[in-house]
Amino acid sequence: MKNIEEFKNSIEKDKKALTYLELKQKYLGKEGVLTKALKEILSVEKDKRAFYGKEINLLKNELENIINKKKNEEKSKYSTGEKIDPTAPFDINSNSNEFDNILAQEGSKHPLTKEIEKLLDIFTSMGFDILESRQIDDDYHMFQSLNFPKGHPARDMYDTFRTEDGLVLPAHTSTMQNRALKKFGPPPIAVVLPGRCFRNEATDAGHDHTFHQIEGVYVDKNVSLANMIATIKTYLEKYLETDFDVKIQPAYFPFTEPDCEFVISCPFCKKVGCSTCGHSGWIEIMGCGMIHPNVLREADIDPDIYTGFAWGFGVDRLTMIKLGIEDIRYLRENNLNFLKQF
Ligand code: DAH
């Protein structure tokens, strides 16, 4: 049996701090403090039972009065149109202390946001403009402007989601190339295009249906593949804070000619072979190439005068390499135990 005084003190303390609903639940709910106390009456010595029962019932009545009063106060606070600030931190509009614990913990940026900011800082320091991509786009920007005419078999490489009225969730940030070339043209053009991308994929540790890319576009007179390799190597070294060897492998994209895969020696094992590089010593890090003349022409840039290169890499994958994250899906699950590590 608990001391009646203890109940009184605890009610005294809670009656200001808790909302009427919280008070009701804590003391009068099924498992409530006073509900339980009454159930325990049989464990009270016989000659004290009557007194105990009376005291608890008095407390219950008192508490019910407090709860009713609080209820009316709280209701009228909202119904009299007392103004709340919907843009304020979420505790400001609350009259309870239930958030104190949460507020005492400092929040932080999502690891991907931090890495995207670092990458964009590097690109800005190298003279690139930034234009964010869209999360919903159209067939023209997703395919036609990138030299995938209707029925082109390479469209199948970019299976993504569509709305009922035919809009497309971009499968890559290349959807922004045409817009960027038009917006920043005439050349010289140097722009990076960060954005969220979507693919109709079965997910596993290395693939997710939602991910992030940063596209880069550089166009001027006399731009060569050597410029592309040097540019990509420079920013990757700055970001990964280490040096590595580079290999260029052939690939296929309708929007580049020639089409390349940029491969780096594994920055962890230095080509010995480890789990990050699948024991091959090399990591395929992105697609890139010289922008196809049809893509330049489509953006009103004369390919006989100007040439350019472009790349597109997955930020999630690069972040996983840098931070040693094993499963790409962790980046989207928003599990606090994972996020707190960064
Ligand atoms: N958009 C391609 C993809 O996601 C990657 C890519 C390849 C981007 C070549 C480019 C490029 O800008 O020139 O598979």
Side-chain angles (χ1 to χ4, degrees):
M1 176 191 121
K2 281 223 174 145
N3 190 327
I4 302 284
E5 280 309 306
E6 263 180 56
F7 292 141
K8 280 190 183 160
N9 291 341
S10 135
I11 292 175
E12 196 55 35
K13 216 173 74 211
D14 285 341
K15 77 180 186 194
K16 279 229 175 75
L18 302 188
T19 63
Y20 85 91
L21 272 178
E22 288 164 337
L23 278 173
K24 200 168 167 184
Q25 203 180 2
K26 177 163 178 187
Y27 291 95
L28 307 178
K30 240 185 176 175
E31 295 290 311
V33 174
L34 295 182
T35 318
K36 271 189 170 164
L38 267 185
K39 279 190 198 152
E40 282 165 10
I41 197 161
L42 285 180
S43 62
V44 178
E45 286 166 46
K46 257 190 177 164
D47 57 336
K48 291 192 182 140
R49 270 186 209 161
F51 173 76
Y52 179 83
K54 204 172 114 204
E55 286 293 309
I56 297 283
N57 275 323
L58 274 177
L59 278 181
K60 270 182 83 174
N61 288 344
E62 222 173 277
L63 194 65
E64 269 160 11
N65 285 340
I66 296 173
I67 287 174
N68 280 338
K69 209 168 135 215
K70 263 200 116 131
K71 185 174 172 182
N72 289 338
E73 275 168 18
E74 284 173 34
K75 292 242 152 113
S76 67
K77 176 170 168 197
Y78 295 111
S79 60
T80 54
E82 182 181 327
K83 290 209 171 66
I84 60 160
D85 176 0
T87 63
F90 66 104
D91 64 314
I92 301 282
N93 297 315
S94 159
N95 52 2
S96 103
N97 64 354
E98 70 180 301
F99 297 124
D100 284 0
N101 192 25
I102 299 175
L103 288 172
Q105 304 167 19
E106 206 177 320
S108 63
K109 285 186 184 168
H110 190 282
L112 266 179
T113 307
K114 282 196 214 158
E115 297 312 301
I116 290 174
E117 285 177 359
K118 277 185 211 158
L119 282 156
L120 294 181
D121 274 353
I122 294 172
F123 291 123
T124 313
S125 77
M126 292 170 76
F128 283 85
D129 282 309
I130 300 169
L131 178 66
E132 206 175 340
S133 86
R134 304 179 175 206
Q135 295 190 34
I136 205 150
D137 216 315
D138 52 32
D139 192 86
Y140 173 77
H141 290 95
M142 177 66 219
F143 292 119
Q144 291 177 57
S145 69
L146 290 167
N147 200 32
F148 296 79
K150 283 232 152 73
H152 194 294
R155 283 183 175 224
D156 291 350
M157 289 159 47
Y158 298 92
D159 183 15
T160 179
F161 307 97
R162 285 172 184 269
T163 65
E164 276 168 6
D165 33 2
L167 294 170
V168 189
L169 275 64
H172 53 178
T173 41
S174 306
T175 35
M176 289 298 288
Q177 281 199 17
N178 181 271
R179 284 196 193 91
L181 291 171
K182 283 185 177 151
K183 180 176 167 72
F184 294 96
I189 300 168
V191 58
V192 288
L193 310 159
R196 187 173 278 170
C197 306
F198 308 87
R199 289 204 192 166
N200 185 10
E201 296 246 27
T203 65
D204 60 32
H207 300 86
D208 205 351
H209 52 69
T210 303
F211 55 97
H212 302 77
Q213 287 190 340
I214 298 182
E215 188 90 3
V217 172
Y218 187 91
V219 184
D220 201 354
K221 288 182 180 153
N222 303 317
V223 176
S224 71
L225 206 61
N227 299 141
M228 178 190 87
I229 297 169
T231 307
I232 296 179
K233 188 165 192 277
T234 303
Y235 75 70
L236 281 181
E237 278 174 354
K238 278 197 190 183
Y239 176 68
L240 295 172
E241 294 169 336
T242 174
D243 53 0
F244 40 74
D245 294 336
V246 165
K247 275 200 298 195
I248 299 296
Q249 284 173 187
Y252 175 69
F253 307 103
F255 39 95
T256 42
E257 181 59 40
D259 325 297
C260 315
E261 186 119 54
F262 201 90
V263 187
I264 63 172
S265 60
C266 179
F268 294 104
C269 65
K270 308 276 173 213
K271 291 192 218 163
V272 174
C274 67
S275 59
T276 304
C277 59
H279 303 280
S280 69
W282 295 90
I283 301 178
E284 289 164 8
I285 211 115
M286 74 185 79
C288 51
M290 299 303 289
I291 301 174
H292 196 288
N294 286 351
V295 174
L296 291 177
R297 234 176 257 124
E298 189 68 24
D300 306 321
I301 294 173
D302 185 346
D304 292 330
I305 304 175
Y306 296 107
T307 49
F309 59 81
W311 74 75
F313 66 82
V315 184
D316 309 60
R317 214 167 260 181
L318 202 58
T319 297
M320 286 165 74
I321 294 174
K322 181 148 181 202
L323 304 179
I325 297 168
E326 287 142 18
D327 193 316
I328 192 167
R329 292 167 295 189
Y330 294 158
L331 290 168
R332 206 178 34 78
E333 279 171 358
N334 289 335
N335 178 333
L336 282 182
N337 290 334
F338 168 77
L339 295 175
K340 274 184 193 156
Q341 298 172 48
F342 302 98

